[in-house]
Amino acid sequence: MRIGINLFCPKCHGKFDHVQTPMGVIERCRSCGGLWFDVLEHADHKVIAKAIDTGDKELGALYNDTRDIHCPVCVNTRMLKMTDSAQTHIQFESCPGCHGRFYDAGEFADFAQLTISDVLKRVGILKK
């Protein structure tokens, strides 16, 4: 992410705070707690997901239904609704231009935690 550039949340339009982590800087919305990751940053940050995904899960769930959003970096680009293949209950948004990702509050911590039921659903033992 570009430090010093003011970016705004694609869901609630709140201002992003730059959050310094051992793996680099990510953005977290001051208002709704959503997280923005530049391309591939989400993979590096899974190990500290609970520490950085500090927003209210219930508020994040309310924003999960907000889908017609635009990338905070590629301003005129509509983000795509994505579903994680290993955890189909997790739906995030991704920019087709810069490949950044937005997770509502609580989604990233959930995404980083693969449970046994997620694995069983993936291999077809449990229904999705």
Side-chain angles (χ1 to χ4, degrees):
M1 190 53 60
R2 294 139 203 95
I3 300 295
I5 294 176
N6 290 327
L7 296 177
F8 295 91
C9 178
K11 294 276 182 115
C12 75
H13 308 292
K15 188 174 181 193
F16 277 133
D17 284 328
H18 301 292
V19 178
Q20 181 67 51
T21 75
M23 294 74 126
V25 177
I26 61 159
E27 281 63 41
R28 182 173 48 225
C29 179
R30 289 182 187 174
S31 300
C32 72
L35 296 172
W36 173 259
F37 296 96
D38 286 329
V39 64
L40 301 179
E41 282 182 330
H42 68 284
D44 294 337
H45 286 84
K46 283 176 86 170
V47 295
I48 60 167
K50 287 185 180 180
I52 58 176
D53 191 357
T54 58
D56 181 352
K57 287 195 275 195
E58 292 177 14
L59 180 59
L62 293 175
Y63 279 105
N64 196 41
D65 291 333
T66 304
R67 293 290 178 194
D68 188 19
I69 64 173
H70 291 86
C71 178
V73 176
C74 308
V75 181
N76 294 320
T77 303
R78 182 174 291 175
M79 294 185 70
L80 304 172
K81 175 183 167 183
M82 306 294 286
T83 301
D84 182 67
S85 62
Q87 301 175 83
T88 56
H89 65 282
I90 297 176
Q91 297 176 341
F92 59 95
E93 291 76 30
S94 180
C95 176
C98 69
H99 304 288
R101 289 185 174 200
F102 183 81
Y103 290 88
D104 295 305
E107 274 182 332
F108 188 65
D110 189 5
F111 168 72
Q113 182 83 24
L114 189 64
T115 66
I116 191 70
S117 66
D118 293 325
V119 173
L120 294 175
K121 286 176 187 174
R122 187 168 190 181
V123 297
I125 294 173
L126 289 178
K127 289 186 179 184
K128 294 181 182 184

